[in-house]
Amino acid sequence: GATSSIQKPVDVVTSGNASENVTGWEAVDQDLETAWIGNSNAGGWWIALTYDPLVNLNSLAIHYKEGSLTNAMLLYSTDAVDWSETAIPITNGPLSIHYLWLIYPDDGSGTVPEVNEILINQP
């Protein structure tokens, strides 16, 4: 069989479930039926991905459930100290990253992020 060239994170941490990050992994499990869902009334949400080795990020696709909050800020870093922001879609790449951080500010609508899949460098 063919081998997958999909770059997967080595760690996933999310807001609202620091002790059990199972739901965060659902956003990177290559299954569009599962989702990471932000806790309601949290006042904002985030999901942080760690890649090792270093990844050259050329493209990013985020698949959301219908009706999801989608206003993500995208930050990236090589050392988790100095962070830079980029837009989605990636227009200033490739970006060298070890860390990718999606932040969803609360827009006051009561809507939460529901992320089915985060895919990087897909054709």
Side-chain angles (χ1 to χ4, degrees), residues 7-10 49-55 97-100 120:
Q7 293 164 299
K8 299 177 188 175
V10 296
L49 311 174
T50 302
Y51 293 90
D52 191 27
L54 189 76
V55 170
I97 66 163
H98 271 298
Y99 305 96
L100 193 60
I120 66 169

Side-chain angles (χ1 to χ4, degrees), residues 1 8-9 11 21 24 30 35 48 57 61 63-64 66 69 74 80 83 88-89 96 98-99 107-108 116:
K8 299 177 188 175
D11 195 20
N21 292 311
Q30 300 176 36
L57 182 64
H63 296 269
Y64 295 100
E66 187 174 333
L69 185 69
L74 180 63
W83 293 88
I88 304 170
S96 295
H98 271 298
Y99 305 96
D107 67 359
N116 289 98

Side-chain angles (χ1 to χ4, degrees), residues 57 60 62 72-76 83-90 95 100-103:
L57 182 64
L60 175 75
I62 304 171
M73 292 175 24
L74 180 63
L75 302 176
Y76 65 96
W83 293 88
S84 298
E85 186 173 357
T86 190
I88 304 170
I90 307 291
L95 308 171
L100 193 60
W101 190 13
L102 285 82
I103 302 170

Side-chain angles (χ1 to χ4, degrees), residues 56-61 89-90 93-94 119-123:
N56 287 318
L57 182 64
N58 292 302
S59 65
L60 175 75
I90 307 291
L119 300 169
I120 66 169
N121 297 340
Q122 297 297 300

Side-chain angles (χ1 to χ4, degrees), residues 22-29 31-38 47 63-65 113-117:
V22 174
T23 60
W25 285 100
E26 291 177 349
V28 294
D29 64 0
D31 182 351
L32 290 174
E33 300 301 315
T34 62
W36 165 69
I37 301 172
I47 184 167
H63 296 269
Y64 295 100
K65 285 191 159 214
E114 299 183 52
V115 181
N116 289 98
E117 204 63 34

Side-chain angles (χ1 to χ4, degrees), residues 70-84:
T70 61
N71 63 334
M73 292 175 24
L74 180 63
L75 302 176
Y76 65 96
S77 176
T78 58
D79 59 11
V81 174
D82 296 313
W83 293 88
S84 298

